[in-house]
Each structure stands twice: as C-alpha cells, then as structure tokens.
Coordinates of all heavy atoms in Angstrom, one line a residue:
T1 N 0.8 -1.2 0.0 CA 0.0 0.0 0.0 C 0.8 1.3 0.0 O 0.5 2.3 -0.6 CB -0.9 0.0 1.2 OG1 -1.6 -1.2 1.3 CG2 -1.9 1.1 1.1
W2 N 2.0 1.2 0.7 CA 2.9 2.4 0.7 C 3.3 2.7 -0.7 O 3.3 3.9 -1.1 CB 4.0 2.1 1.7 CG 5.0 3.2 1.8 CD1 4.7 4.6 1.7 CD2 6.4 3.1 2.0 NE1 5.9 5.3 1.9 CE2 6.9 4.4 2.1 CE3 7.3 2.0 2.2 CZ2 8.3 4.7 2.3 CZ3 8.6 2.3 2.5 CH2 9.1 3.6 2.5
A3 N 3.8 1.7 -1.4 CA 4.3 1.9 -2.8 C 3.1 2.4 -3.7 O 3.4 3.1 -4.7 CB 4.9 0.7 -3.3
L4 N 1.9 2.0 -3.4 CA 0.8 2.5 -4.2 C 0.4 3.9 -3.9 O -0.2 4.6 -4.7 CB -0.4 1.6 -4.0 CG -0.3 0.1 -4.5 CD1 -1.5 -0.7 -4.0 CD2 -0.2 0.1 -6.0
R5 N 0.8 4.4 -2.8 CA 0.5 5.8 -2.3 C 1.7 6.8 -2.7 O 1.4 8.0 -3.0 CB 0.3 5.9 -0.8 CG -1.0 5.2 -0.4 CD -1.1 5.0 1.1 NE -0.9 6.2 1.8 CZ -1.9 6.8 2.5 NH1 -3.2 6.3 2.4 NH2 -1.7 7.9 3.2
E6 N 2.9 6.3 -2.6 CA 4.1 7.2 -2.8 C 4.9 6.5 -3.9 O 4.8 5.3 -4.2 CB 4.9 7.4 -1.6 CG 4.2 8.3 -0.5 CD 5.3 8.8 0.5 OE1 6.0 9.8 0.2 OE2 5.4 8.1 1.5
S7 N 5.8 7.3 -4.5 CA 6.8 6.7 -5.4 C 8.1 7.2 -5.1 O 8.3 8.2 -4.4 CB 6.4 7.2 -6.9 OG 6.4 8.6 -7.0
G8 N 9.1 6.6 -5.6 CA 10.5 7.0 -5.4 C 11.4 5.8 -5.2 O 10.9 4.7 -4.9
P9 N 12.7 6.0 -5.3 CA 13.7 4.8 -5.1 C 13.7 4.2 -3.7 O 14.1 3.1 -3.6 CB 15.0 5.5 -5.5 CG 14.8 6.9 -5.2 CD 13.4 7.2 -5.6
D10 N 13.3 5.0 -2.7 CA 13.3 4.5 -1.4 C 12.0 4.0 -0.9 O 11.8 3.8 0.4 CB 13.9 5.5 -0.4 CG 15.3 5.9 -0.8 OD1 16.1 5.0 -1.2 OD2 15.7 7.1 -0.7
V11 N 11.0 3.9 -1.7 CA 9.6 3.6 -1.4 C 9.3 2.2 -1.9 O 9.6 1.9 -3.0 CB 8.7 4.7 -1.9 CG1 7.2 4.2 -1.7 CG2 8.9 6.0 -1.3
G12 N 8.6 1.5 -1.0 CA 8.1 0.2 -1.5 C 8.8 -1.0 -0.9 O 10.1 -1.0 -0.8
R13 N 8.1 -2.0 -0.3 CA 8.7 -3.1 0.4 C 8.5 -4.4 -0.4 O 9.0 -5.5 0.1 CB 8.1 -3.2 1.8 CG 8.3 -1.9 2.6 CD 7.4 -1.8 3.8 NE 6.0 -1.6 3.4 CZ 5.0 -1.6 4.3 NH1 5.2 -1.6 5.6 NH2 3.8 -1.4 3.8
D14 N 7.7 -4.4 -1.4 CA 7.5 -5.7 -2.2 C 8.7 -6.4 -2.6 O 8.8 -7.6 -2.5 CB 6.6 -5.4 -3.4 CG 5.1 -5.2 -3.0 OD1 4.7 -5.5 -1.9 OD2 4.4 -4.6 -3.8
P15 N 9.8 -5.7 -3.1 CA 11.0 -6.4 -3.6 C 11.7 -7.2 -2.5 O 12.5 -8.1 -2.9 CB 11.8 -5.3 -4.1 CG 10.9 -4.2 -4.5 CD 9.8 -4.3 -3.5
S16 N 11.4 -6.9 -1.3 CA 12.0 -7.6 -0.2 C 11.1 -8.7 0.4 O 11.5 -9.3 1.4 CB 12.5 -6.6 0.9 OG 13.4 -5.7 0.4
R17 N 10.0 -8.9 -0.1 CA 9.0 -9.8 0.4 C 8.6 -10.9 -0.6 O 7.5 -11.5 -0.4 CB 7.7 -9.0 0.8 CG 8.0 -8.0 1.9 CD 6.7 -7.1 2.2 NE 6.9 -6.3 3.4 CZ 6.0 -5.5 3.9 NH1 4.7 -5.5 3.4 NH2 6.2 -4.7 4.9
T18 N 9.3 -11.1 -1.6 CA 9.0 -12.1 -2.6 C 9.1 -13.5 -2.1 O 9.8 -13.7 -1.1 CB 9.8 -11.9 -3.9 OG1 11.2 -12.0 -3.5 CG2 9.6 -10.5 -4.5
P19 N 8.5 -14.5 -2.7 CA 8.5 -15.8 -2.2 C 9.8 -16.5 -2.1 O 10.7 -16.2 -2.9 CB 7.6 -16.6 -3.2 CG 6.7 -15.5 -3.8 CD 7.5 -14.3 -3.9
M20 N 9.9 -17.3 -1.1 CA 11.1 -18.2 -0.9 C 11.2 -19.1 -2.1 O 10.1 -19.6 -2.6 CB 11.0 -19.0 0.4 CG 12.2 -19.8 0.7 SD 13.7 -18.9 0.9 CE 14.9 -20.2 1.4
Q21 N 12.4 -19.4 -2.5 CA 12.6 -20.2 -3.7 C 13.2 -21.6 -3.3 O 14.3 -21.7 -2.9 CB 13.4 -19.5 -4.7 CG 12.7 -18.2 -5.1 CD 13.5 -17.2 -6.0 OE1 13.0 -16.2 -6.4 NE2 14.8 -17.6 -6.3
W22 N 12.4 -22.6 -3.5 CA 12.8 -23.9 -2.9 C 13.3 -24.9 -4.0 O 14.2 -25.7 -3.7 CB 11.5 -24.6 -2.3 CG 11.0 -23.8 -1.1 CD1 9.9 -23.0 -1.1 CD2 11.6 -23.8 0.2 NE1 9.7 -22.5 0.1 CE2 10.8 -22.9 0.9 CE3 12.7 -24.4 0.8 CZ2 11.0 -22.6 2.3 CZ3 12.9 -24.1 2.1 CH2 12.1 -23.2 2.8
D23 N 12.8 -24.8 -5.2 CA 13.4 -25.7 -6.2 C 13.2 -25.1 -7.6 O 12.8 -23.9 -7.8 CB 12.6 -27.1 -6.2 CG 11.1 -27.0 -6.5 OD1 10.7 -26.2 -7.3 OD2 10.4 -27.8 -5.8
E24 N 13.6 -25.9 -8.7 CA 13.7 -25.3 -10.0 C 12.3 -25.4 -10.8 O 12.3 -25.2 -12.0 CB 14.8 -26.0 -10.8 CG 14.8 -27.5 -10.8 CD 15.6 -28.1 -9.7 OE1 15.2 -27.9 -8.5 OE2 16.5 -28.8 -10.0
G25 N 11.3 -25.8 -10.1 CA 10.0 -25.9 -10.7 C 9.4 -24.5 -11.2 O 10.0 -23.5 -10.9
P26 N 8.3 -24.5 -11.9 CA 7.8 -23.3 -12.5 C 7.5 -22.2 -11.5 O 7.6 -21.0 -11.8 CB 6.5 -23.7 -13.2 CG 6.2 -25.1 -12.7 CD 7.5 -25.7 -12.3
F27 N 7.1 -22.6 -10.3 CA 6.8 -21.6 -9.2 C 7.8 -21.8 -8.0 O 7.4 -21.5 -6.9 CB 5.4 -21.6 -8.8 CG 4.4 -21.4 -9.9 CD1 3.5 -22.4 -10.3 CD2 4.5 -20.2 -10.7 CE1 2.6 -22.2 -11.4 CE2 3.6 -20.0 -11.7 CZ 2.7 -21.0 -12.1
A28 N 8.9 -22.3 -8.3 CA 10.1 -22.5 -7.4 C 9.7 -23.3 -6.1 O 10.3 -23.1 -5.1 CB 10.6 -21.1 -7.0
G29 N 8.7 -24.2 -6.2 CA 8.3 -25.0 -5.1 C 7.6 -24.2 -4.0 O 7.2 -24.8 -3.0
F30 N 7.4 -22.9 -4.2 CA 6.6 -22.2 -3.3 C 5.1 -22.5 -3.3 O 4.4 -22.6 -2.3 CB 6.8 -20.7 -3.5 CG 5.9 -19.8 -2.7 CD1 6.1 -19.6 -1.4 CD2 4.8 -19.1 -3.4 CE1 5.2 -18.8 -0.6 CE2 3.9 -18.3 -2.7 CZ 4.1 -18.2 -1.3
S31 N 4.6 -22.7 -4.5 CA 3.2 -22.9 -4.8 C 3.0 -23.7 -6.1 O 4.0 -23.8 -6.9 CB 2.5 -21.6 -4.8 OG 1.1 -21.8 -5.1
D32 N 1.8 -24.2 -6.3 CA 1.5 -24.8 -7.6 C 0.8 -23.8 -8.5 O 0.3 -24.2 -9.6 CB 0.7 -26.1 -7.4 CG 1.5 -27.2 -6.8 OD1 2.7 -27.2 -7.0 OD2 0.9 -28.1 -6.2
R33 N 0.7 -22.6 -8.1 CA 0.1 -21.5 -9.0 C 0.9 -20.3 -8.8 O 1.9 -20.2 -8.0 CB -1.3 -21.3 -8.6 CG -1.5 -20.8 -7.1 CD -2.9 -20.2 -6.9 NE -3.0 -18.9 -7.6 CZ -4.1 -18.1 -7.6 NH1 -5.2 -18.6 -7.0 NH2 -4.0 -17.0 -8.2
E34 N 0.6 -19.3 -9.7 CA 1.4 -18.0 -9.7 C 1.3 -17.4 -8.3 O 0.3 -17.2 -7.7 CB 0.7 -17.1 -10.7 CG 1.5 -15.8 -10.8 CD 2.7 -15.9 -11.6 OE1 2.8 -16.8 -12.5 OE2 3.7 -15.1 -11.4
P35 N 2.5 -17.1 -7.7 CA 2.6 -16.5 -6.3 C 2.1 -15.1 -6.3 O 2.0 -14.4 -7.4 CB 4.1 -16.6 -6.0 CG 4.7 -17.6 -6.9 CD 3.9 -17.5 -8.2
W36 N 1.8 -14.6 -5.1 CA 1.2 -13.3 -4.9 C 2.2 -12.2 -5.4 O 1.8 -11.1 -5.7 CB 0.8 -13.1 -3.5 CG 1.9 -12.9 -2.5 CD1 2.7 -13.9 -2.0 CD2 2.2 -11.7 -1.8 NE1 3.6 -13.3 -1.1 CE2 3.3 -12.0 -0.9 CE3 1.7 -10.4 -1.8 CZ2 3.9 -11.1 -0.1 CZ3 2.3 -9.5 -1.0 CH2 3.4 -9.8 -0.2
L37 N 3.5 -12.5 -5.3 CA 4.6 -11.6 -5.8 C 5.5 -12.4 -6.7 O 5.6 -13.6 -6.6 CB 5.4 -11.0 -4.7 CG 4.7 -9.8 -3.9 CD1 5.6 -9.4 -2.7 CD2 4.5 -8.6 -4.8
P38 N 6.2 -11.7 -7.6 CA 7.1 -12.5 -8.6 C 8.2 -13.2 -7.9 O 8.7 -12.8 -6.8 CB 7.6 -11.4 -9.5 CG 6.8 -10.2 -9.2 CD 6.3 -10.3 -7.8
L39 N 8.8 -14.1 -8.6 CA 10.0 -14.8 -8.2 C 11.2 -14.1 -8.9 O 11.0 -13.2 -9.8 CB 10.0 -16.2 -8.7 CG 8.9 -17.1 -8.2 CD1 8.7 -18.4 -9.0 CD2 9.1 -17.4 -6.7
S40 N 12.4 -14.3 -8.4 CA 13.6 -13.7 -9.0 C 13.8 -14.3 -10.4 O 13.4 -15.4 -10.7 CB 14.8 -13.9 -8.2 OG 15.3 -15.3 -8.3

C-alpha cells in the first residue's frame, strides 16, 4: 500500500517480500500456482 501511495527509489517493500525459492519448478516450489509476488 505504501508503494501504491508514494513513489520513489526508497519507497516500497514488495521487492524484499517475494516468495522463498525452494526448487527449479515453475513456481520455485513455493506454490503450484502463480505466487502473490514475482520470483527472481
């Protein structure tokens, strides 16, 4: 929500909250469907 309200290089926490990556599968073993945030 913060990134949706403000903009700038120091704004937004999503890039630090992306899913843990467990294996080489299509969704990195985190889920069997598209995760709520992107994978690396």
Side-chain angles (χ1 to χ4, degrees):
T1 310
W2 181 30
L4 293 170
R5 290 166 59 105
E6 288 196 85
S7 61
D10 299 324
V11 172
R13 301 164 293 178
D14 287 339
S16 300
R17 298 176 173 186
T18 58
M20 183 62 175
Q21 299 173 178
W22 298 103
D23 61 37
E24 54 270 62
F27 302 119
F30 168 75
S31 179
D32 286 335
R33 59 163 290 179
E34 185 73 29
W36 75 286
L37 282 176
L39 301 164
S40 74

